[in-house]
Amino acid sequence: MEKVISGIRPTGNLHLGNYFGAVKSFVRMQKEFNCMFFIADWHSLTTHPKPENIRQSVKTILAEYLACGIDPEVAPLYVQSDVKEVLELYLYLNMNAYLGELERVTSFKEKVRKQPDNVNAGLLTYPSLMAADILVHKADKVPVGKDQEQNMEMARLFARRFNRIYEVEYFKEPESYHFTNKAIKVPGLDGSGKMGKSEGNAIYLVDDEATIKKKVMRAVTDSGPTMLNQEKPEAIKNLFTLLELVSDKQTYDYFDDQYNNMTIRYGDLKKQLASDINAFCAPIRERILDFQQNEEYLQKVIRMGAQAASESAAKTIQEVRQIVGFR
Ligand code: ADP
Ligand code: TRP
């Protein structure tokens, strides 16, 4: 059976972008493939979080993964730092990763711009650590959002390069996977760009009804369509994209028609959107709160996950050591 791996950095709560871009695929894939999902706590060190924040965020995201429907009996859930084999592969991959290509990665360039006084080597080698996460399990498919495409290309490049250098056909090139068949980008509520933690425009799965409503009602709009059937400007398109994700088709079509015949009232659209987002989040929110109370169960989940992931990774590392020239 094909292997699937994916992870998310523990840097806060999961938002709708994380859910529709990645976690929804995780939940759907777990029955069909041999899946493992993890919490990328080593990756989160690139921005120097406080130890207590890491501990808290790992616990939070674990409860959120479970609340979204990942079944740890079917798809092991582990914490990246519990699987030391990843670091060994990271080292081997780094020996054949070049400064020029790493510097050209868009997300690296972005970080250089955003945090010029913390351009550390971990940030530079983020793609090789991510490749190690994937290749250590020899995964076939990796469910991620659109913004991870370049990191995925790097993972394929490192896999090919390893095979070429050692004249083996050992690593497969992992492919990105999206349940909708195309990479999705969930927009934010501020008129442009994607929904993201650092963008400050996110609706979190744990947000309560009042918070969701407040955020949606504040979303950027314009003064309304001025022509029949005109193309929607980005901010409006974003609201419709969100509506498409959380509402039924009838509701979407209703507002789409209203936009096209210029009778739309954005206030009504927003109220509906807020209500549908809340209907979507409410059951997940309740489960998150329940799982967070159950410390013992959370510990058990990551113990099981660590064992499954370490077994899979140890096998690869043993073979890789042979290939590279170690005992
Ligand atoms: P953030 O941008 O909030 O920091 P991450 O970079 O930690 O989120 O992303 C975790 C996962 O969620 C990745 O697979 C990423 O592709 C996906 N993801 C994050 N934001 C979005 C979005 N707005 N649309 C689609 N997928 C997203
Ligand atoms: N880079 C991913 C993100 O920001 C997280 C990640 C780390 C990951 N290692 C991975 C995703 C391996 C998929 C596979 O969301």
Side-chain angles (χ1 to χ4, degrees):
M1 204 186 340
E2 283 188 301
K3 277 198 166 184
V4 172
I5 187 88
S6 193
I8 295 186
R9 280 170 300 135
T11 50
N13 293 97
L14 291 183
H15 51 72
L16 292 177
N18 301 135
Y19 181 81
F20 289 105
V23 182
K24 186 171 177 183
S25 301
F26 299 0
V27 175
R28 293 203 173 177
M29 293 173 96
Q30 63 184 344
K31 292 192 192 79
E32 251 183 275
F33 301 99
N34 186 353
C35 293
M36 278 197 276
F37 302 111
F38 70 97
I39 300 171
D41 56 347
W42 275 325
H43 272 113
S44 75
L45 291 180
T46 52
T47 49
H48 300 169
K50 293 204 172 70
E52 62 270 25
N53 290 351
I54 300 182
R55 276 191 286 273
Q56 188 53 45
S57 304
V58 167
K59 188 176 150 188
T60 301
I61 196 170
L62 181 60
E64 291 181 331
Y65 269 154
L66 293 166
C68 289
I70 295 177
D71 177 356
E73 304 278 347
V74 177
L77 272 175
Y78 67 94
V79 180
Q80 185 186 34
S81 61
D82 280 341
V83 184
K84 313 285 183 286
E85 286 79 3
V86 171
L87 287 185
E88 188 167 342
L89 185 55
Y90 172 55
L91 181 134
Y92 299 141
L93 295 179
N94 270 338
M95 296 301 165
N96 298 306
Y98 295 97
L99 181 61
E101 63 194 3
L102 293 170
E103 278 178 331
R104 278 195 298 276
V105 173
T106 317
S107 48
F108 176 72
K109 289 195 284 196
E110 224 168 81
K111 286 285 195 250
V112 172
R113 202 166 39 78
K114 277 196 196 153
Q115 49 182 73
D117 41 9
N118 179 21
V119 183
N120 60 65
L123 216 45
L124 182 73
T125 57
Y126 188 110
S128 36
L129 181 54
M130 179 158 159
D133 289 326
I134 299 168
L135 299 178
V136 87
H137 300 298
K138 301 178 83 180
D140 302 279
K141 290 183 159 56
V142 183
V144 278
K146 195 171 185 164
D147 54 332
Q148 295 298 311
E149 212 29 68
Q150 205 177 11
N151 286 332
M152 288 303 301
E153 273 166 33
M154 296 299 282
R156 290 189 280 269
L157 174 71
F158 295 144
R160 274 200 303 280
R161 190 174 287 162
F162 181 94
N163 291 348
R164 186 171 46 72
I165 290 173
Y166 294 105
E167 298 179 11
V168 288
E169 284 211 22
Y170 186 69
F171 287 125
K172 293 179 258 195
E173 290 186 36
E175 57 175 287
S176 316
Y177 183 90
H178 321 285
F179 70 91
T180 49
N181 289 329
K182 69 176 198 310
I184 114 162
K185 185 180 93 173
V186 179
L189 292 167
D190 46 359
S192 67
K194 70 158 195 164
M195 182 177 287
K197 280 173 280 249
S198 42
E199 279 75 6
N201 60 6
I203 295 180
Y204 296 96
L205 298 177
V206 281
D207 280 348
D208 61 24
E209 187 168 7
T211 310
I212 293 172
K213 188 153 186 206
K214 201 164 74 194
K215 287 181 178 176
V216 174
M217 296 315 279
R218 273 205 312 246
V220 175
T221 49
D222 57 14
S223 51
T226 52
M227 276 186 314
L228 291 172
N229 302 313
Q230 79 179 56
E231 199 188 325
K232 300 180 186 84
E234 190 176 5
I236 307 303
K237 215 187 278 171
N238 288 351
L239 290 178
F240 276 89
T241 303
L242 289 169
L243 199 62
E244 203 174 3
L245 292 169
V246 295
S247 304
D248 54 29
K249 182 162 184 315
Q250 223 177 344
T251 308
Y252 179 90
D253 289 345
Y254 172 78
F255 286 105
D256 194 42
D257 286 346
Q258 285 206 329
Y259 187 85
N260 287 332
N261 63 30
M262 296 168 52
T263 55
I264 193 157
R265 285 169 33 185
Y266 290 136
D268 295 344
L269 167 65
K270 286 177 173 180
K271 265 192 214 133
Q272 182 72 43
L273 180 60
S275 151
D276 290 345
I277 290 177
N278 183 58
F280 169 80
C281 289
I284 300 181
R285 180 168 67 225
E286 267 177 41
R287 289 196 296 269
I288 294 174
L289 300 178
D290 281 349
F291 279 122
Q292 271 178 333
Q293 302 299 317
N294 201 341
E295 185 79 38
E296 211 174 304
Y297 180 66
L298 296 182
Q299 290 303 328
K300 183 179 155 205
V301 168
I302 54 173
R303 261 200 319 274
M304 287 184 337
Q307 193 176 355
S310 301
E311 260 171 43
S312 154
K315 181 168 178 296
T316 306
I317 285 302
Q318 209 175 16
E319 291 163 355
V320 166
R321 283 182 147 246
Q322 291 273 346
I323 294 170
V324 172
F326 295 111
R327 273 179 297 111

